[in-house]
Amino acid sequence: MIELMDTNSTRSKKFFRILPKIELHRHLEGSLRLSTMLEIAQSFDLDLPYSDPPFLRQLVQVLPGEPYTYRNFLSKFKTLRLFYRTPEIIHRITQEAIGDAAEDNVRHLEMRFTPVALGVIRQIPAEEIIDIVVTAAEEARKKHQISTSLIVSMNRHESLHLAEKVVRAAVDRRNDGIAGLDLAGDEANFPAAPFADLLGNARKDGLLLTIHAGEWGGAENVVEALQLFKADRIGHGVRVMEDADAVLLAAESGATFEVCPTSNLQSGVCSNLSTHPMKRMMDAGIKVTLNTDDPGVSAIKLTHEYVNAHNVMQLTVGDLRKATLDAAQNAFLNGSDRRHLVNNIGKEFDQKIKILENEKVI
Ligand code: HPA
Ligand code: ZN
């Protein structure tokens, strides 16, 4: 019998690849395939080194030996914005991102996307961008037999005026493909508070809310996201552990934390995965889930995060089962779809554990 609470074992990539997974925190703009970028660069004759894949890689991925700082991490998105050139490209990258998740045995993917970033080159309005992503996601969902929810994101380092237009378009589509809103961007230098009324009103209008907080800013930003924004979920939130009162509040709030360990390492939030706070958050009663954030920028799959969580960060297979079920229970889905997901994912997880045991996959 596979010991779900075993902390001493190390397990293979194959083991975690086979398990059914859920991801609540993945940015479309950070999910592009390098091969697709090379094709786009070539066919649009972009002033980019498209005939030199290693050079392009360095512009869009965090590579070993680079500074692990949030500035370097964010700098990749400046190059990435050059690729969102037409509605057809946005349609394609949405489909590919969902296909890549399905191929990694992600059963439910919540993908967030930033209409301002995706529309910037051709000045495509937010409504149009949202409709393109919704349509592409619907097609990909059927093709790859995966469940998805879409979250519209905005950056706190960009203007409130832009955010207002984006939120209006998202609220108009709350029963038509859009489940929630996200506030992302440069948390170290730009406050969230100016966005509180806008996002609070959208939440009253029926959109769920997740806020990036306690990543590049301190525990006080998690408190702000919970108290001022009434966030349903927190993006990252790992720096909550710097303040004991904030930890108590986070646990009591019942909010779900979308933890992204490799992103945290590469953007300088933690210096080493072996000391990453995810296990301590869980032990303190905070609801945690495991996510990739920007799998293209980090050159990872969700399976990679499961391997590290177990082999490096001391989460047991039982802890990962709980994180997966908490992700299902706090997915931005309607009641019946959520119950369905919780049921199915729990059953499949246990079936796969039995199969892995019979086949002696470690
Ligand atoms: N934090 C804030 N903004 C972002 C991130 C992140 O981890 N990834 C993409 N945009
Ligand atoms: Zn993020």
Side-chain angles (χ1 to χ4, degrees):
M1 173 73 184
I2 288 178
E3 180 45 78
L4 290 188
M5 292 306 165
D6 183 4
T7 48
N8 292 321
S9 67
T10 59
R11 295 190 176 276
S12 64
K13 188 154 102 184
K14 180 173 179 190
F15 182 94
F16 290 109
R17 209 191 106 65
I18 288 170
L19 290 180
K21 294 172 280 290
I22 291 178
E23 169 138 3
L24 302 181
H25 189 133
R26 184 178 297 204
H27 297 258
L28 172 60
E29 298 80 20
S31 301
L32 272 66
R33 296 176 185 167
L34 195 66
S35 55
T36 297
M37 285 186 262
L38 286 163
E39 262 183 50
I40 296 168
Q42 201 150 19
S43 55
F44 286 83
D45 201 18
L46 300 190
D47 188 17
L48 280 170
Y50 45 76
S51 56
D52 186 357
F55 195 81
L56 182 61
R57 185 188 294 275
Q58 177 188 300
L59 293 175
V60 295
Q61 289 181 358
V62 179
L63 299 177
E66 283 185 22
Y68 281 180
T69 63
Y70 79 89
R71 277 184 206 287
N72 184 52
F73 193 87
L74 270 185
S75 76
K76 309 294 174 184
F77 291 90
K78 288 207 188 99
T79 305
L80 285 166
R81 282 190 179 197
L82 300 174
F83 292 92
Y84 322 135
R85 306 197 78 82
T86 65
E88 292 73 31
I89 290 175
I90 296 164
H91 188 99
R92 173 179 175 177
I93 61 174
T94 303
Q95 291 214 321
E96 289 181 351
I98 293 170
D100 289 347
E103 196 273 331
D104 192 31
N105 290 322
V106 174
R107 299 288 182 251
H108 175 71
L109 173 67
E110 305 220 331
M111 193 155 67
R112 58 194 73 196
F113 63 102
T114 314
V116 169
L118 294 169
V120 71
I121 292 183
R122 293 257 300 256
Q123 294 298 303
I124 305 174
E127 305 88 72
E128 222 175 289
I129 298 286
I130 295 176
D131 290 340
I132 296 165
V133 174
V134 167
T135 304
E138 241 166 54
E139 288 175 19
R141 190 155 62 226
K142 289 189 191 122
K143 182 169 169 202
H144 299 288
Q145 302 192 341
I146 178 174
S147 151
T148 64
S149 297
L150 294 173
I151 297 170
V152 167
S153 187
M154 62 219 81
N155 284 317
R156 68 190 75 199
H157 59 257
E158 294 177 322
S159 82
L160 182 60
H161 178 65
L162 283 174
E164 282 164 355
K165 289 190 184 167
V166 169
V167 169
R168 205 171 309 130
V171 168
D172 284 348
R173 286 152 182 81
R174 66 186 176 281
N175 298 317
D176 210 5
I178 300 302
L181 292 173
D182 165 48
L183 185 63
D186 183 351
E187 192 196 344
N189 295 298
F190 292 81
F195 295 84
D197 282 348
L198 179 66
L199 297 183
N201 287 334
R203 191 166 178 273
K204 284 187 200 135
D205 284 337
L207 287 174
L208 293 159
L209 191 56
T210 175
I211 306 277
H212 281 72
E215 177 195 22
W216 304 328
E220 66 282 4
N221 286 2
V222 176
V223 173
E224 179 188 54
L226 293 172
Q227 291 186 330
L228 182 62
F229 285 82
K230 311 257 182 293
D232 301 284
R233 302 199 314 236
I234 302 290
H236 301 278
V238 289
R239 288 185 57 189
V240 73
M241 298 311 281
E242 293 170 6
D243 180 321
D245 290 338
V247 171
L248 285 180
L249 176 75
E252 277 166 13
S253 74
T256 303
F257 282 55
E258 306 156 352
V259 178
C260 315
T262 296
S263 166
N264 292 158
L265 179 71
Q266 293 183 343
S267 70
V269 177
C270 72
S271 56
N272 200 311
L273 282 186
S274 64
T275 53
H276 187 281
M278 184 166 175
K279 175 76 174 167
R280 279 178 281 130
M281 291 168 79
M282 205 174 206
D283 291 346
I286 297 174
K287 237 180 255 162
V288 291
T289 62
L290 193 57
N291 306 275
T292 60
D293 207 12
D294 297 293
V297 173
S298 296
I300 56 168
K301 295 180 179 189
L302 186 56
T303 289
H304 177 272
E305 299 305 76
Y306 272 67
V307 171
N308 279 334
H310 181 66
N311 291 354
V312 185
M313 291 158 52
Q314 282 86 47
L315 275 86
T316 64
V317 175
D319 291 336
L320 290 168
R321 184 183 189 281
K322 179 177 187 314
T324 306
L325 281 171
D326 278 339
Q329 260 145 11
N330 295 282
F332 285 178
L333 286 170
N334 69 40
S336 73
D337 287 348
R338 192 184 299 136
R339 276 192 296 279
H340 199 238
L341 180 66
V342 171
N343 252 327
N344 285 350
I345 203 90
K347 256 189 238 152
E348 190 189 352
F349 196 101
D350 297 340
Q351 276 166 2
K352 291 285 158 66
I353 289 284
K354 277 202 190 109
I355 292 171
L356 289 163
E357 186 181 13
N358 285 340
E359 294 182 358
K360 302 200 179 347
V361 177
I362 294 184

